[in-house]
Amino acid sequence: MKATSKIMTRDATSSAPLALTCGDPAGVGPEIIAAWLRANPSEAARVVPIGPKRWIESLGIAGEAVGPAEFAMEPGKPSIAGATVALAALESAAAGCKSGKFSATVTGPVSKSWMQKAGFAFPGQTEFFAARWGGEPVMAFAGGKLRVALATWHIPLMDVAGALDEACLARTVAQADRLARALGSKQPRIAVCGLNPHAGEGGLLGTDERDRLDPWLDKLRARLPGLSRCEPGDTVFWRQMRGEFDIVIALYHDQGLAPLKTIDFDESVNITLGLPWIRTSPDHGTAFTIAGQGKASWKSFANAVTLARTLARAG
């Protein structure tokens, strides 16, 4: 996909509901969706929950049942059967977006290890939707104090430098710009983290910035004047919180997710950009250890729903 592709291609006037996948039935996904619906009963007509039949019936609204009718959720007790239901929910949501049944998808958290045991052949849900919908995904996060886009994510750290080519950087910059604009920034100020400590310190601590990354960014800046050169990753998020930047591009997973989850753990939303439809998700895991205890916050899920609608309308 070219770097100038839109965030999504659905008609911004579409009135189709959002698909809400249950996530792993043994995790907190089903209960945070249920709690959010109880707190927001007016949303019932605008969403379609997808998951086990008994759970759908307990919600008291129209939904889409997947998996064996007799399947019973056991909070805190993950299983291959539960992961299979979670996978079926993803397949239903992906197909529903393609058919026009849904305008976007909000996914509950899944366990990658249990999903693999159930035949899930992807590193995460981001890659699943890319395979089902086509396109080249960019993983991003918003909903709290920080806005972050990742140039790479589910790859080993030792592979990051090789994965950072010019096309990858251009694609991430383009999607970061579109996300910032969709969220209200008219001329986005985009910071890009350096790969090395102190952004290479002029070549003393690494030459990636000097020889590759900064020259690529210099070319992109002709179209996006608010784009930085590589900035030291140890201070750039503090600078974003002080209002200097609208969004930060991190070059690898933990460079962006460590500060984000420290600041915005209960509020941030995982957003998949660069595909024909929008997919968002709470930025937390299955939390098997507290599932079924009523302790899980639905704040991140609520933000995921709001962002899915906002980005779907933005086009």
Side-chain angles (χ1 to χ4, degrees):
M1 184 184 72
K2 294 181 180 179
T4 55
S5 295
K6 291 185 176 182
I7 288 178
M8 65 171 292
T9 59
R10 282 195 57 82
D11 185 345
T13 64
S14 172
S15 59
L18 299 177
L20 309 180
T21 66
C22 61
D24 192 301
V28 298
E31 67 185 88
I32 62 175
I33 294 174
W36 173 78
L37 282 168
R38 286 194 298 271
N40 299 275
S42 62
E43 293 280 359
R46 306 174 66 195
V47 299
V48 176
I50 305 173
K53 183 176 186 293
R54 295 180 184 179
W55 174 67
I56 295 293
E57 292 173 344
S58 74
L59 296 176
I61 69 172
E64 189 169 306
V66 294
E70 67 277 11
F71 176 84
M73 299 190 305
E74 294 187 78
K77 297 181 179 180
S79 64
I80 294 177
T84 301
V85 169
L87 176 54
L90 291 179
E91 295 283 11
S92 179
C97 284
K98 292 181 73 173
S99 70
K101 183 177 182 179
F102 307 129
S103 60
T105 294
V106 181
T107 59
V110 300
S111 165
K112 296 179 180 66
S113 61
W114 280 101
M115 291 286 279
Q116 294 287 329
K117 295 175 184 178
F120 190 68
F122 306 95
Q125 295 185 95
T126 298
E127 294 83 359
F128 166 84
F129 283 103
R132 293 296 180 265
W133 291 340
E136 295 183 77
V138 170
M139 185 182 289
F141 299 83
K145 297 180 179 66
L146 298 177
R147 296 173 182 173
V148 181
L150 303 183
T152 69
W153 49 94
H154 295 147
I155 62 173
L157 184 59
M158 66 182 296
D159 295 339
V160 169
L164 288 169
D165 59 21
E166 187 170 6
C168 167
L169 191 61
R171 179 169 61 249
T172 309
V173 167
Q175 295 298 342
D177 176 73
R178 292 185 181 279
L179 175 59
R181 290 180 186 276
L183 298 180
S185 301
K186 294 183 179 179
Q187 294 183 325
R189 299 162 299 166
I190 305 170
V192 181
C193 293
L195 179 64
N196 297 298
H198 303 287
E201 199 72 71
L204 294 175
L205 302 178
T207 61
D208 301 270
E209 293 82 3
R210 183 193 67 194
D211 295 346
R212 301 190 303 137
L213 300 172
D214 280 338
W216 295 338
L217 293 172
D218 290 344
K219 287 195 289 184
L220 294 170
R221 198 172 301 108
R223 183 171 55 85
L224 300 170
L227 179 65
S228 77
R229 302 192 92 199
C230 288
E231 300 286 346
D234 58 352
T235 58
V236 72
F237 296 97
W238 175 78
R239 294 165 65 188
Q240 183 186 13
M241 289 189 64
R242 288 172 61 89
E244 189 172 344
F245 302 113
D246 298 304
I247 190 166
V248 172
I249 293 174
L251 300 186
Y252 54 92
H253 186 277
D254 286 11
Q255 185 181 51
L257 272 293
L260 182 90
K261 291 191 175 183
T262 299
I263 301 297
D264 289 332
F265 187 82
D266 288 332
E267 297 184 359
S268 191
V269 174
N270 184 341
I271 307 164
T272 303
L273 304 173
L275 305 184
W277 292 272
I278 288 292
R279 169 255 171 176
T280 66
S281 179
D283 187 29
H284 58 69
T286 54
F288 290 132
T289 58
I290 64 168
Q293 300 175 34
K295 296 179 179 179
S297 169
W298 48 263
K299 186 179 294 185
S300 179
F301 179 82
N303 288 344
V305 171
T306 299
L307 279 169
R309 290 206 179 103
T310 297
L311 296 174
R313 286 194 301 267

